[in-house]
Amino acid sequence: STNSNGPISKPRRVMVIGGDGFCGWATSLHLSNKNYEVAVVDSLVRRLFDHQLGIDSLTPISSIQNRIRRWKALTGKTMQLYIGDICDFEFLSEAFKSFEPDVVVHFGEQRSAPYSMIDRSRAVFTQHNNVIGTLNVLFAIKEFSEECHLVKLGTMGEYGTPNIDIEEGYLTITHNGRTDTLPYPKQASSFYHLSKVHDSHNIAFTCKAWGIRATDLNQGVVYGVRTDETTLHEELCNRFDYDGVFGTALNRFCVQAAVGHPLTVYGKGGQTRGYLDIRDTVQCVELAIANPAKPGEFRVFNQFTEQFSVNDLAGLVTKAGKKLGLEVQTISVPNPRVEAEEHYYNAKHRKLIELGLKPHVLSDSLLDSLLNVAIQFKDRVDHSQIMPNISWKKIGVKPRTAPV
Ligand code: NAD
Ligand code: USQ
């Protein structure tokens, strides 16, 4: 059937794997608000890592059940919930058969580089969880919903820091007089970042072999915490990681500034990465869903809006802190990672803009509001969790428990 606007389509069904996490929860709410039928799939393993390491979100977060109940009470919109591990194929199959997704957005991985470098067992867990989980998703799509579009979260860290411009997934090269367009070389620098490289290869292969349609979103470092939907009620509040394992650069610096801890620049601070606001994460995922890849296509988007070095970020937070009356110091911490501290970096990020992304660039007002969130919850900050204590060089087979 059709109406004047063309075919009448039912609301599209989106399965959000990792929907209880930082990016996944914000995205689930955003898509539900935009009238997609959303199912959250999550093993809650991230909440377990927090307990095991003795860390916690800066912001208090409700259980996933209470989050979903509150969302329904506020908006009348329902979300399905499937609690389980996607490495368990029986569980994943049941979730697929019962929900029948048109789109799978896959955020459900162990996403911390330092976590993957704690010890052998965490390195193995990370690659097993991420690589096997993604393989299972690929098999589930092939078996139960061949038309389903996979939107997979990758990372800009797959590319490393080459001394040439970074393209979006592919590079055209001429070698001995012949020309081809090939996957862009990958030089990841943690067992976590490598798991994403392995995923990309598995996805590219199944697109070719089985005709799967997939979009790999090579996302940069995400900052911020609030989105339009999470601010509607305190029970919808998103997590905010600031600790040395799961905290990421800009969010960590804001918490450090709020509690009077010097900003922890690792090494020389010239490490440059792509960054984006969490409000743009949800926008980018929605754009990828609304403009699906074609059957057999393995599409790669670089998902970030601006590049900064760690020193740039420290400078911006120092300035923003001063305006709020905070005395912000910076220290150089011996770099616990193995990475280039001074390097060329120029990464393309046109494709999402071409699809209509309107970036929220890092502004004084965003930094103000992030610092204010940090100040609001500063009594919840555990100062002993701020300094990094996981070394890329000291990783070994001996199991490491959290320092007490
Ligand atoms: P997060 O840890 O907050 O959320 C990940 C969620 O996935 C958690 O709720 C966890 O319980 C769930 N999960 C993990 N393994 C699972 C499994 N086997 N089965 C079911 N659920 C599982 O992480 P995030 O910051 O929201 O990141 C989400 C995705 O985005 C990750 O793939 C990450 O690599 C990618 N990413 C994040 C950032 C960032 O700065 N946060 C940047 C680039 C890419
Ligand atoms: N850094 C500091 N001081 C800090 C924290 C980090 O100097 O206190 C430096 C790191 O050494 C690194 C850079 O800042 O050079 C970024 O580190 P990060 O911890 O903010 O981000 P990263 O480990 O790269 O991982 C995060 C997410 C991951 C995602 C990745 C995107 O945890 O899931 O894949 O960002 S990207 O960096 O583009 O690969």
Side-chain angles (χ1 to χ4, degrees), residues 312-327:
D312 292 337
L313 295 178
L316 289 166
V317 171
T318 304
K319 207 172 99 214
K322 211 170 257 155
K323 273 200 339 206
L324 297 180
L326 299 169
E327 264 254 23

Side-chain angles (χ1 to χ4, degrees), residues 27-65:
T27 301
S28 298
L29 287 175
H30 180 75
L31 295 175
S32 177
N33 204 19
K34 297 277 168 163
N35 296 321
Y36 288 93
E37 281 294 330
V38 173
V40 167
V41 173
D42 205 299
S43 61
L44 309 184
V45 71
R46 178 52 209 282
R47 293 180 188 247
L48 179 65
F49 300 151
D50 288 1
H51 289 313
Q52 290 176 335
L53 297 172
I55 57 180
D56 200 0
S57 164
L58 171 75
T59 48
I61 54 172
S62 302
S63 69
I64 184 65
Q65 293 81 358

Side-chain angles (χ1 to χ4, degrees), residues 212-335:
I212 296 221
R213 44 169 100 219
T215 304
D216 202 355
L217 297 173
N218 281 343
Q219 186 169 242
V221 187
V222 182
Y223 59 79
V225 64
R226 292 187 165 140
T227 54
D228 288 347
E229 294 82 15
T230 61
T231 46
L232 290 176
H233 192 279
E234 62 181 18
E235 275 193 313
L236 301 180
C237 185
N238 205 347
R239 62 179 309 126
F240 187 132
D241 300 310
Y242 67 89
D243 61 90
V245 182
F246 280 94
T248 51
L250 182 58
N251 280 4
R252 264 166 71 68
F253 287 177
C254 288
V255 171
Q256 292 167 355
V259 301
H261 190 289
L263 308 186
T264 54
V265 168
Y266 299 166
K268 296 195 181 113
Q271 301 94 305
T272 303
R273 302 287 183 270
Y275 286 81
L276 75 163
D277 189 306
I278 181 126
R279 292 172 296 176
D280 290 341
T281 295
V282 305
Q283 214 192 133
C284 289
V285 171
E286 188 193 355
L287 285 167
I289 293 173
N291 303 277
K294 293 191 271 299
E297 185 185 9
F298 178 61
R299 214 168 47 162
V300 182
F301 296 160
N302 291 347
Q303 178 167 315
F304 71 95
T305 59
E306 294 174 281
Q307 293 186 180
F308 299 102
S309 71
V310 185
N311 286 329
D312 292 337
L313 295 178
L316 289 166
V317 171
T318 304
K319 207 172 99 214
K322 211 170 257 155
K323 273 200 339 206
L324 297 180
L326 299 169
E327 264 254 23
V328 185
Q329 309 289 328
T330 292
I331 45 166
S332 169
V333 175
N335 199 336

Side-chain angles (χ1 to χ4, degrees), residues 148-169:
C148 182
H149 176 205
L150 172 62
V151 177
K152 165 67 167 56
L153 271 289
T155 178
M156 285 300 292
E158 291 185 39
Y159 302 117
T161 54
N163 198 33
I164 57 171
D165 293 347
I166 293 172
E167 304 298 322
E168 294 192 78

